[in-house]
Structure formats: structure tokens, C-alpha cells
Amino acid sequence: GAKIFLEPGSYAPDSLTNYEIGLKTQLFDHRLQVNLSAYWMDWDNVQFFLFDPPAKINTTFGLNGPSYNVKGAEFQIVGRVTPELTLFASGSYNHATESAAPCLKGNIPGTAYYGACIMTYQPSGSGVAGENTPFPNPFGELGSVPAFSPAFQGNIRARYDWQIGDYKAFVQVGGNYVSGMWNQPASYELGALTPLPTPTTTNLRYYQPAYGTIDASIGLTADHWRVELFGTNLANSHASTFTSSGQFIRSEVPLRPLVVGLKVGANF
């Protein structure tokens, strides 16, 4: 088929308007610190990068695309429960939606899609004249949740410090949680849950489930030296932090696996 879109050589700035109200305070003789904030953000003309070889978009290029609205709140709390025990917690909740979903328009004069939304394309390598395949709007769907937008993220940590003769000791344990999210806009084709069949597009949509991690450490300091035994991702979660079909296979970038280590240091 004839070419209907010419890759642009530049793109315009995006803009972010943020309305926020918050509170920072210390209570109970400075033993409790609380930070709270709520916000409303309008993110307009977001810079969007497109790459889709099956649709003959063989090089990555940027252009201005959708707009988003984010309503959210976040908190940070630090509490000294006793002189030895301190609790830390923080988290954020975001309700993100796509507030404007423009389409990719043909920009070559004299072609059928000039100035109109591109709805179909002739797949790369197809030798059948007039063969058309539906072309999903790369900028998503109005009112949908944008990619990589978990609704909630949070962490909690407890630390206990005490004295052992001339030594200062501590033990700490913490957890982190990230709720589920999608890796692509809502308009994209859903990817299979198994590696087969082989994806026919680099833009498949996958759901990345929620995950949590647990970390812990114990340490000792004296004079100018310190030693610490630590463990990260103690449950050895293999959750995906990035799922993609960018190489025509379903690929995942997992969390760093369980790590146990020993740190020894000194000050001079």
C-alpha cells in the first residue's frame, strides 16, 4: 500500500499543571511526624514515542499525543514509639485517567487518510494489494487508565536501636508494595498469558500483577567501624517490573532475586 504517514522530525513541549494542598506537622513532643498532601494534576500534550515494525514504523520517533488527569494523595509518617523503636510508613494513591485521546492522522497530501485518523494499514511484508489490518489508536482510549500507573504504592519499616556495652546495635525490617498495572494503553491488543503464539506486534498489552517485597538487616557499630548483615527480597518474588513484546516475544524484567550480604566499613 502507499505510504500514508511521514515520521515527524520534532515534537512540541508538554505541560503539567498541579494543584496541591498539604500538611506537615509534628505531634506528641516531636515523637510523631506526619506529612500529608492531596493533588490534582493535568498533564497535557504528552510526548509519546512510537515504534511498531509490523505497521512499517521501523524507527522510533516522538510526537505529541494524549493528555492525562491524575487525582491523588500521599503520606509520610515517622513515629518514635519508644526511645529504641521507630516506625516509618509512606504511600501514595493515584486515580489516573486519559483525559484526551487524539488519533494518529495521515499527514501526506493526496493520500486517503490525509488529515483523518489512520484506521487500517498494510502489514510489512504483505504482497497482497489492498490488504488492510486494523490499526489501534496508539494514544489509548478516553477515560482509560494509562500505562505503568499503579493505583497504590507504599512501604513500611520498623527499626529498633539499642546499646550493648560500648556497641550500638540495630535491627530493621521493612516491606514494599506496588499494586497491579498495565504496560500499554487500553487500545492495544491483549497479549497471551503464555509465550505462544508468537506475537505479531511489538505493542501487545499485558497486565503486570501487584507484588510486595520484604527486606531486613541487623548491624553493629563501635568507635570507627561498623558491620551489617542484610537481606533483600526475602520472599524471592519474581514479579515483573516491565513486561513487553518489543522483540516479538513476551519478555519480562523481574525483580532482583533474594540477596543476602554482609557490609563492613570503617571511618578514618
Side-chain angles (χ1 to χ4, degrees), residues 225-255:
W225 62 269
R226 62 190 179 277
V227 61
E228 177 184 345
L229 176 67
F230 68 91
T232 60
N233 193 9
L234 293 176
N236 200 28
S237 170
H238 295 156
S240 174
T241 61
F242 180 76
T243 304
S244 169
S245 60
Q247 299 298 321
F248 294 100
I249 59 171
R250 174 176 175 157
S251 61
E252 296 182 349
V253 179
L255 288 168

Side-chain angles (χ1 to χ4, degrees), residues 153-259:
Q153 301 181 76
N155 64 81
I156 188 169
R157 180 163 45 100
R159 179 183 173 104
Y160 190 85
D161 295 90
W162 74 99
Q163 196 81 23
I164 306 176
D166 294 332
Y167 302 96
K168 294 180 180 179
F170 80 90
V171 61
Q172 179 174 282
V173 62
N176 180 70
Y177 177 81
V178 179
S179 64
M181 71 190 92
W182 293 94
N183 74 317
Q184 294 285 14
S187 55
Y188 285 33
E189 179 185 350
L190 284 174
L193 296 179
T194 59
L196 298 175
T198 302
T200 57
T201 173
T202 56
N203 291 325
L204 288 178
R205 188 173 189 243
Y206 294 106
Y207 183 72
Q208 299 179 196
Y211 65 87
T213 59
I214 301 173
D215 305 325
S217 60
I218 184 170
L220 196 67
T221 62
D223 296 328
H224 302 296
W225 62 269
R226 62 190 179 277
V227 61
E228 177 184 345
L229 176 67
F230 68 91
T232 60
N233 193 9
L234 293 176
N236 200 28
S237 170
H238 295 156
S240 174
T241 61
F242 180 76
T243 304
S244 169
S245 60
Q247 299 298 321
F248 294 100
I249 59 171
R250 174 176 175 157
S251 61
E252 296 182 349
V253 179
L255 288 168
R256 189 181 186 189
L258 183 154
V259 175

Side-chain angles (χ1 to χ4, degrees), residues 119-135:
M119 304 296 291
T120 62
Y121 71 97
Q122 183 176 3
S124 180
S126 172
V128 181
E131 181 181 349
N132 288 322
T133 298
F135 181 72

Side-chain angles (χ1 to χ4, degrees), residues 39 41 69-74 91-97 145 149-153 179:
Y39 44 84
M41 293 188 289
N69 173 260
V70 182
K71 305 178 188 72
E74 61 183 11
S92 64
Y93 172 80
N94 291 284
H95 178 66
T97 55
V145 177
S149 296
F152 179 77
Q153 301 181 76
S179 64

